[in-house]
Amino acid sequence: MGIKALDYETLNENVKKVQYAVRGELYLRASELQKEGKKIIFTNVGNPHALGQKPLTFPRQVVALCQAPFLLDDPIVGLIFPADAIARAKHYLSMTSGGLGAYSDSRGLPGIRKEVAEFIKRRDGYPSDPELIFLTDGASKGVMQILNCIIRGQGDGVLVPVPQYPLYSATISLFGGSLVPYYLEETANWGLDVNNLRQSVAEARFKGITVRAMVIINPGNPTGQCLSEANLREILNFCYQENLVLLGDEVYQQNIYQDERPFISARKVMMDMGPPISKEVQLVSFHTVSKGYWGECGQRGGYFEMTNIPPQTVDEIYKIASISLSPNVPAQIFMGLMVNPLKPGDISYEQYVRESKGILESLRRRARIMTDGFNSCKNVVCNFTEGAMYSFPQIRLPPKAIEAAEKAEKVPDVFYCLKLLEATGISTVPGSGFGQKEGVFHLRTTILPAEEDMPEIMSSFKKFNDQFMEQYEDNWSHSRM
Ligand code: DCS
């Protein structure tokens, strides 16, 4: 019998090339250890509910009622659900044609796209057009749809920050394009230097790559930095000069833990800049229900908004979205609830504010505990998590540790993270999964473990790190004597 199309040897090479570290070797080993009965702290994924974060009550009430519309006809409903949840469930059900069991328009329900547009207008002060907003199954699907439209082949490049969230590297290689890295400056709190951008583009062009788009992640994953308005202006100017589509990944816009640099959207800055930039730079912005104080990762809700994209292209993107018929309808309702939250005076408002504030304030404290904890460890330096959900400490591995890793046929940071996992049960992602400068090593952890568990996690990390550094550093100094 001959080789079949799904035999490994003949698979699409782009599929085999893809690497996705967030669920890579470390995660697999952690799952194995868990099966063997070891207690694992899964800090490899920004998945808040998996680490004990409770869902906000009001949105769950609304979606529960939408899922069980027969409850709305039962007199008992008023005893179990507040009137504002009942009203909101009816509001969303009236937007559907047949409730949650029916496909929606492939761009999402028009009524919810309108709520998204109103949210963007309130946030940025500029009107937004619901026809240019598509609802998606998480931000990931939207990013993939847009990269699919941009990448025509290997000669097409996309500028991606390094370190970056591997959705970008993985999708670019899946679609057969070229990733063009631009390095964030760790010593400048992971700031973005436009000169680095120019250099990256020049080098790519020298290799014959057509650079077509630029990704920014703001706030950053895994780096946690918040871009300043001045920086965003420089980026927009750069995209204008170089004729690049700007992809603004803004999924962490609610997750801000400092007051000096509040979140500001790429779209607002672009509109503030006025023509020609506001009229000409093509921008696609992404958002999600997975992050913020929502953390509803499992619901898979997201949207993207297009600015300065010609109608014919929008039609093509609509056509491609139609192949999958419809985004998840329950997730669309979560998105509606996120962008159109309760208002002062609503029955459930106070509870909603208490819950959401509680989550954000605790995240802010956890960001601080983690950064301080890492910075108190030997050979570890860590920038403060200004936003997003991660801490990304640099681990200065002694030469002996690097040698030991090589002997074990592991990338040095993978070696370190595996040892950390075996010793403490803390499951992280090695920095190499996000990209880092040559010879520099990091790990990424989320700041999501429960606040009361943090001191213990940090002290167990410190104990492990002390032992690790002692083991390899001692050998190093002895061998040099
Ligand atoms: N963009 C960024 C920067 C992300 O960090 C994530 C998820 C996404 C998009 C996609 O999210 P959704 O598809 O759920 O909307 N972050 C992953 C991570 O780094 N850990 O957990 C998930």
Side-chain angles (χ1 to χ4, degrees), residues 20 22 44-47 137-141 143 165-168 217-221 249-252 286-291 296-297 300-302 390 434 444 446:
Y20 186 73
V22 171
N44 56 309
V45 189
N47 193 11
D137 296 342
S140 311
K141 276 289 161 64
V143 168
Y165 169 49
L167 164 67
Y168 292 96
I217 306 176
N218 181 36
N221 175 9
D249 183 327
E250 300 177 335
V251 299
Y252 296 105
F286 301 89
H287 201 4
T288 183
V289 301
S290 301
K291 310 296 172 187
E296 292 276 10
C297 300
R300 313 304 302 127
Y390 312 96
F434 306 94
R444 188 192 80 169
T446 68

Side-chain angles (χ1 to χ4, degrees), residues 61 89 104 177 189 198 221 259 307 345 392:
Q61 287 170 327
S104 72
N189 228 3
R198 281 186 222 293
N221 175 9
D259 302 318
T307 312
F392 196 61

Side-chain angles (χ1 to χ4, degrees), residues 401-415:
I402 297 175
E403 251 172 55
E406 276 161 12
K407 245 187 226 146
E409 293 182 3
K410 299 279 176 210
V411 178
D413 55 4
V414 174
F415 179 77

Side-chain angles (χ1 to χ4, degrees), residues 207-256:
K207 291 188 209 151
I209 292 170
T210 312
V211 185
R212 301 212 342 132
M214 170 173 178
V215 175
I216 52 171
I217 306 176
N218 181 36
N221 175 9
T223 41
Q225 85 287 13
C226 298
L227 293 178
S228 67
E229 183 175 347
N231 220 187
L232 281 162
R233 280 173 181 265
E234 286 181 311
I235 292 165
L236 281 155
N237 259 320
F238 178 77
C239 289
Y240 175 67
Q241 285 160 8
E242 302 291 338
N243 214 8
L244 303 175
V245 178
L246 182 61
L247 304 183
D249 183 327
E250 300 177 335
V251 299
Y252 296 105
Q253 59 188 270
Q254 269 182 346
N255 298 94
I256 307 287

Side-chain angles (χ1 to χ4, degrees), residues 17 112 295 345 353 381 417 445 450:
K17 261 192 334 219
I112 294 183
V353 170
V381 278
C417 290
T445 167

